[in-house]
Amino acid sequence: MRYSETHKAETHAKLVKLAGRALREKGPEGLSVAELMGSAGLTHGGFYAHFKSKDALLAEALQDIFVESNRKLGQMTEGPSPRAALAWFIDSYLSPAHRDKASTGCPIVALNSDLPRQSRRFRAAFDAGVRQLVGNLADRIEASGLADGQRLATLVLATMAGAVVLSRAVTDEGLSDALLASARKNIKAQLGLTDTDEGAAR
Amino acid sequence: MRYSETHKAETHAKLVKLAGRALREKGPEGLSVAELMGSAGLTHGGFYAHFKSKDALLAEALQDIFVESNRKLGQMTEGPSPRAALAWFIDSYLSPAHRDKASTGCPIVALNSDLPRQSRRFRAAFDAGVRQLVGNLADRIEASGLADGQRLATLVLATMAGAVVLSRAVTDEGLSDALLASARKNIKAQLGLTDTDEGAAR
DNA sequence: TGTACATCAGTGAACGCGCGTTCACTGATGTAC
DNA sequence: TGTACATCAGTGAACGCGCGTTCACTGATGTAC
């Protein structure tokens, strides 16, 4: 079975994408090499033609997740005014949809408590990703006319991540929704944005 | 080797305490039965004289952690004025010491991303613990003369947990310290407390 | 008072299982001659 | 044009390991007679 020239690279990319989702759903320990390969329609032995080790895969998958997150944030803020874009980002981050779908959500929420037990490599990728995201968000905040973007961005991201974390932990859905809504309102107020639900909330 | 009447209960309590620390340090999957028993000076076989299963231990350890957390919060708020007590709690939650010692810290920060993969029993214990903590905090907030304690307490806890989560993820210590400091300032401002570092911060 | 027996927290060998990793192999196709 | 060989993504059996869990056993002490 000879394959096309791009075939291996395509398989590799597919594995990274699948791993990114499995990583956020099941965590680094829960992601199994055999299961991942199976989900791509392959057998476990082929894994090592693509990655040096499971840890190498995890780091690559995490990098890809952050690249994707930053790309999405960039996309969001292309069209509308900086203020509307910011409101939209906050609404979508603090939406019940984000809470309910960890597999495509923010890695900070999905992976933070696994972090201390992971390899230096993985933690470095995480750190770099967070910095990028904060920097990106800081730019949007300053574009909205606010000073001290870096500090505000860090604070906003921490608050949003904490709110989603807690909203996932709480069993009562009404309470969980209320928490997200009140976080949306609170953060927007702090950024001087009006809470008109311009974005994707609810 | 016959033991005193209270011996078994003492051993049981000791195991729960040790498990509570190991749980926050290594996570539910990282905590090994054999290692736990070894750390108590026992062999792994004896475990099942104390707990029906590993999962039963995890749930019991988690309950104990939350009981302890609530006890501490109660203690803190006994002596001083409600406002000073609240400031003290915020400072100690957002302290570098809390960031650096997960094994005795807040379970929300240490365990949140493991939660979705745990048993119903474990998640129920977590949920109950969070509710207690929120209720407890809401009481302190209302005692400080603020309305809407429940909503504020949830928001404050989410923001604090998010800040510690992020401060643990960031490698740069200066940046991590700054994040905690700015969260302290921000939360106190929202609660109408002056940021005079009345508590244990730095 | 002395002996036989019951108690029971803890021991340690053994189990089945899933994991990450290795490696000799396959087999369809491109290339050399 | 036809044959022999090289290529290489993927296969699948096998490995060593640590895990949670089971269970027959130990042995110091309290109790019964």
Side-chain angles (χ1 to χ4, degrees), chain A residues 12 16 50-51 55-65 121 125:
Chain A
H12 187 97
V16 170
H50 287 285
F51 306 98
D55 190 56
L57 162 75
L58 291 180
E60 196 176 332
L62 186 60
Q63 275 176 327
D64 184 73
I65 291 170
R121 186 178 185 171

Side-chain angles (χ1 to χ4, degrees), chain B residues 12 34 38 56 60 76 93 102 120 154 172 178 181:
Chain B
H12 187 97
E60 197 177 332
M76 273 187 197
Y93 197 106
R120 184 181 301 273
T154 313
D172 182 327

Side-chain angles (χ1 to χ4, degrees), chain A residues 1-2 31-35 44-45 48 53-54:
Chain A
M1 46 179 110
R2 187 86 175 213
L31 184 159
S32 115
V33 167
E35 217 178 295
H44 63 277
Y48 294 88
S53 65
K54 185 188 168 183

Side-chain angles (χ1 to χ4, degrees), chain B residues 64-143:
Chain B
D64 184 73
I65 290 171
F66 274 111
V67 166
E68 195 63 27
S69 295
N70 277 290
R71 206 186 53 77
K72 264 191 227 163
L73 176 53
Q75 249 181 5
M76 273 187 197
T77 50
E78 253 175 24
S81 77
R83 296 170 64 87
L86 208 50
W88 202 82
F89 176 64
I90 292 163
D91 284 338
S92 102
Y93 197 106
L94 291 169
S95 69
H98 183 202
R99 174 197 62 201
D100 295 336
K101 213 176 172 200
S103 66
T104 57
C106 178
I108 298 172
V109 180
L111 297 171
N112 71 77
S113 69
D114 290 296
L115 217 57
R117 308 157 221 151
Q118 294 310 304
S119 69
R120 184 181 301 273
R121 187 178 186 173
F122 190 85
R123 283 182 282 122
F126 197 93
D127 189 57
V130 169
R131 283 172 119 87
Q132 255 178 52
L133 205 54
V134 168
N136 203 334
L137 186 56
D139 290 347
R140 315 294 156 179
I141 288 175
E142 298 201 336

Side-chain angles (χ1 to χ4, degrees), chain A residues 48-91:
Chain A
Y48 294 88
H50 287 285
F51 306 98
K52 221 192 129 201
S53 65
K54 185 188 168 183
D55 190 56
L57 162 75
L58 291 180
E60 196 176 332
L62 186 60
Q63 275 176 327
D64 184 73
I65 291 170
F66 273 112
V67 166
E68 195 63 28
S69 296
N70 278 290
R71 207 186 53 76
K72 264 192 228 162
L73 177 53
Q75 249 181 7
M76 272 188 198
T77 50
E78 253 175 25
S81 77
R83 294 170 66 88
L86 207 52
W88 203 80
F89 176 64
I90 292 163
D91 284 337

